Amino acid sequence: MNKLELHSVAFEVTRRCNLKCVGFCMRGEAQNFDMTKEMVDAFFDTESRGYILDSIHNLYFTGGEPTLKPEIIIYTINKIIEENIPVCNITMVTNGQLFVLELVDAFNRFNKYRSWYVKNKLQTGKEIRLSEIIEYIMNKNYAKIVFSTDRFHAPIPENIRNLYSIYTKEVKLMDYAVKDEYIVRIGLSSIGKDFKKEECEYDKVTEDHLIIWKNVYMTAKGDIMFGGDGSYQYIDDNIIGQVNQVSVFASAETHNQKKLNYNKFS
Ligand code: SF4
């Protein structure tokens, strides 16, 4: 069966938000759409569409504000652990206005599971990627929570920040404040640049084994696209199909842009 590696995947958990970052938010008006468990199941059920997921290097939970729909993130993490789905790292990007203990517990569980999984591979001599060994030696934070802390977002309440610090276990907590000069240049703004239709950057490892470098994005409506920045309108205009129908493997070629050198990481 065909094999697919994905460098990065983002789940737009919800299009709802509890902030209005005026002049900054590239999404536009919030929308009342949430991802469903069926969409998550369909994303990972690739065999029915003729390929297996060999690995996902980075899975991002984004939005909207992902903490408004924690059950989808918890469901996804539990599914990865229970079904041993090869996801290496997970990251949630949040505005930090909410703390949900069950959600943080799920991030802790993923980190523990992933540390055990890689250690077990090392100890038992199973096939292991160089990137996994480096990650294991350098950094045991397989789960990250990133707070948006630029001047457009509301400050993160101190008590919320403390709760994250108290309850996370080896989950990396990071602040990210996009610099003003990048806001327009890379389009992270309602007045940012116009996005060009994004296409798929991929490499063929063998005829039946692809690695896709471009971010694969699933919207809160269950649509798939390559890329993921820009407004909801832009995203909706550039989808390649519904998650339960589209073959990401086959779409790599039909949305081909250019081939990069394999071995970007091993
Ligand atoms: S930038 Fe993020 S937090 Fe701010 S309104 Fe947009 S989705 Fe919400």
Side-chain angles (χ1 to χ4, degrees), residues 17 19-21 24-25 27 64 95 153:
C17 192
L19 286 183
K20 261 185 191 276
C21 304
F24 174 80
C25 186
R27 300 304 193 196
N95 62 28
H153 285 79

Side-chain angles (χ1 to χ4, degrees), residues 7 49 127 139 141 177 191:
H7 177 58
R49 297 189 293 282
E127 192 187 331
N139 167 19
N141 307 122
I191 53 157

Side-chain angles (χ1 to χ4, degrees), residues 76-94:
T76 305
I77 292 174
N78 288 343
K79 185 177 175 76
I80 291 168
I81 295 172
E82 282 159 22
E83 299 178 20
N84 212 9
I85 297 170
V87 174
C88 304
N89 298 283
I90 59 169
T91 301
M92 175 175 74
V93 184
T94 174

Side-chain angles (χ1 to χ4, degrees), residues 84 111-121 136 142:
N84 212 9
N111 208 63
K112 198 167 160 200
Y113 152 80
R114 187 69 195 153
S115 301
W116 171 85
Y117 179 80
V118 177
K119 191 171 168 191
N120 182 266
K121 268 179 140 185
Y136 186 75
Y142 297 99

Side-chain angles (χ1 to χ4, degrees), residues 82-257:
E82 282 159 22
E83 299 178 20
N84 212 9
I85 297 170
V87 174
C88 304
N89 298 283
I90 59 169
T91 301
M92 175 175 74
V93 184
T94 174
N95 62 28
Q97 304 301 305
L98 275 178
F99 174 81
V100 182
L101 181 57
E102 295 76 14
L103 185 53
V104 167
D105 278 346
F107 273 73
N108 288 337
R109 272 201 306 285
F110 178 86
N111 208 63
K112 198 167 160 200
Y113 152 80
R114 187 69 195 153
S115 301
W116 171 85
Y117 179 80
V118 177
K119 191 171 168 191
N120 182 266
K121 268 179 140 185
L122 279 167
Q123 286 173 343
T124 54
K126 287 185 189 145
E127 192 187 331
I128 189 161
R129 289 172 196 284
L130 180 61
S131 55
E132 287 180 318
I133 298 172
I134 293 170
E135 182 100 41
Y136 186 75
I137 294 168
M138 304 291 292
N139 167 19
K140 291 185 183 168
N141 307 122
Y142 297 99
K144 299 185 187 72
I145 295 174
V146 179
F147 299 107
S148 300
T149 53
D150 52 74
R151 66 189 175 89
F152 296 94
H153 285 79
I156 297 169
E158 211 46 46
N159 63 323
I160 300 279
R161 210 182 252 285
N162 287 342
L163 287 169
Y164 275 101
S165 300
I166 291 166
Y167 286 102
T168 46
K169 297 189 183 102
E170 293 197 332
V171 171
K172 190 166 189 170
L173 299 177
M174 295 170 63
D175 285 356
Y176 177 66
V178 62
K179 291 186 180 154
D180 279 19
E181 62 259 40
Y182 291 132
I183 291 174
V184 172
R185 199 186 321 157
I186 61 176
L188 294 173
S189 144
S190 49
I191 53 157
K193 67 176 185 183
D194 287 338
F195 283 88
K196 288 202 312 274
K197 184 170 171 56
E198 299 198 48
E199 296 185 321
C200 180
E201 296 157 351
Y202 77 100
D203 268 304
K204 257 184 194 167
V205 182
T206 59
E207 261 322 295
D208 57 1
H209 181 176
L210 297 188
I211 177 164
I212 293 182
W213 304 104
K214 192 79 185 176
N215 188 50
V216 175
Y217 191 88
M218 176 155 73
T219 74
K221 295 166 147 183
D223 292 315
I224 299 291
M225 72 164 317
F226 293 113
D229 284 338
S231 67
Y232 293 134
Q233 186 60 58
Y234 166 80
I235 289 170
D236 289 346
D237 288 345
N238 287 287
I239 58 165
I240 58 174
Q242 264 279 316
V243 61
N244 56 354
Q245 288 161 4
V246 78
S247 161
V248 177
F249 187 93
S251 301
E253 222 143 29
T254 47
H255 291 76
N256 181 26
Q257 184 182 39

